[in-house]
Amino acid sequence: MNRILSSKWTKVVLFLLGLAPFGGLVWLAYKQDLTANPIEYITHYTGDWCLRFLMFTLAITPLRMLTNWPAWTKLRRMLGLYAFFYGSLHLLVYFGLDRQFDLSGLWEDIAKRLYITVGMTGWLLMVPLAITSTAGWVRRMGFKRWQKLHKLIYVTAVAGVVHYWWLVKSDIRLPLMYAVILTVLLGWRIAAKIKAKAKAGHAKAPSLA
Ligand code: HEM
């Protein structure tokens, strides 16, 4: 399985799978089937896919550790970039189609509507992650510093869930589901860290034998 995950074809398949929601959207637009409120439909559609890809990206580390297949890591960059792609489309549709590229209107929204403030923060934090996602940037920054910067994805994911939670009016089932998934994914990391620290502590403790 690790070999399949490492294959370049897996990346090609993942690339096409990641593009499929965008293709679906283009197809619906072509058929003029974007409901009575296309702007709202596209905003929701792209927001949903941004959040899904953030969760897929965060699932990679637990999957790698649970299965012991290091090759999962090779898929993480593409999943993260797809989160950024759908997040950017989401912002572009909102700013371009909903707000008609009115910068002062967008700024007013960011200042006045808390869910937009949080969403914008989440998107802005993804920008340095997307820029520094290449192997060249890992080399330039050094792996430790690069890894530290990329922890920002946790803040983005929390911001994404809070943004969703705050914008829904009554039915909180879906944002709640994402909050539970995110808690499991982040909680799992914390538990793994505590376990690794305890193990290291045991190894350092002087033997009584
Ligand atoms: C990490 C970044 C972001 C994520 C993960 C995200 C995610 C989402 C999700 C999941 C929804 C609801 C979709 C649904 O109801 O099916 C949504 C809606 C929305 N988002 Fe975002 N979003 C992000 C950033 C932004 C930004 C930067 C803006 C604008 C500046 C924005 C504006 C909106 C608006 C206007 C809605 C629709 C609100 C409504 O219908 O009442 N989002 N977003």
Side-chain angles (χ1 to χ4, degrees), residues 31-64:
K31 289 207 315 168
Q32 303 197 331
D33 215 2
L34 290 171
T35 74
N37 189 341
I39 298 177
E40 186 184 278
Y41 182 84
I42 304 173
T43 308
H44 286 214
Y45 186 95
T46 48
D48 285 340
W49 278 104
C50 174
L51 202 49
R52 282 176 198 141
F53 274 105
L54 279 172
M55 299 298 138
F56 296 155
T57 311
L58 286 175
I60 290 293
T61 298
L63 278 174
R64 172 177 58 83

Side-chain angles (χ1 to χ4, degrees), residues 40 43-48 50-51 54 87 90-91 94 98 106 110 113 115-116 118-123 126 156 159-161 163-164 167-169 174 178:
E40 186 184 278
T43 308
H44 286 214
Y45 186 95
T46 48
D48 285 340
C50 174
L51 202 49
L54 279 172
H90 182 64
L91 171 60
Y94 180 68
D98 203 331
L106 178 69
I110 292 172
R113 294 157 86 179
Y115 81 87
I116 299 276
V118 175
M120 197 68 205
T121 308
W123 181 80
M126 276 198 283
T156 290
V161 172
H163 166 74
Y164 193 4
L167 72 86
V168 293
K169 269 120 203 149
L174 273 174
Y178 280 110

Side-chain angles (χ1 to χ4, degrees), residues 172-186:
I172 56 145
R173 272 177 300 176
L174 273 174
L176 177 66
M177 178 195 78
Y178 280 110
V180 170
I181 294 172
L182 186 59
T183 306
V184 171
L185 292 174
L186 298 186

Side-chain angles (χ1 to χ4, degrees), residues 90-134:
H90 182 64
L91 171 60
L92 194 68
V93 169
Y94 180 68
F95 178 47
L97 301 182
D98 203 331
R99 291 264 142 228
Q100 321 253 294
F101 293 106
D102 171 16
L103 254 182
S104 63
L106 178 69
W107 182 244
E108 215 171 279
D109 270 357
I110 292 172
K112 280 198 185 141
R113 294 157 86 179
L114 215 54
Y115 81 87
I116 299 276
T117 320
V118 175
M120 197 68 205
T121 308
W123 181 80
L124 281 174
L125 292 179
M126 276 198 283
V127 175
L129 303 189
I131 293 173
T132 60
S133 69
T134 61

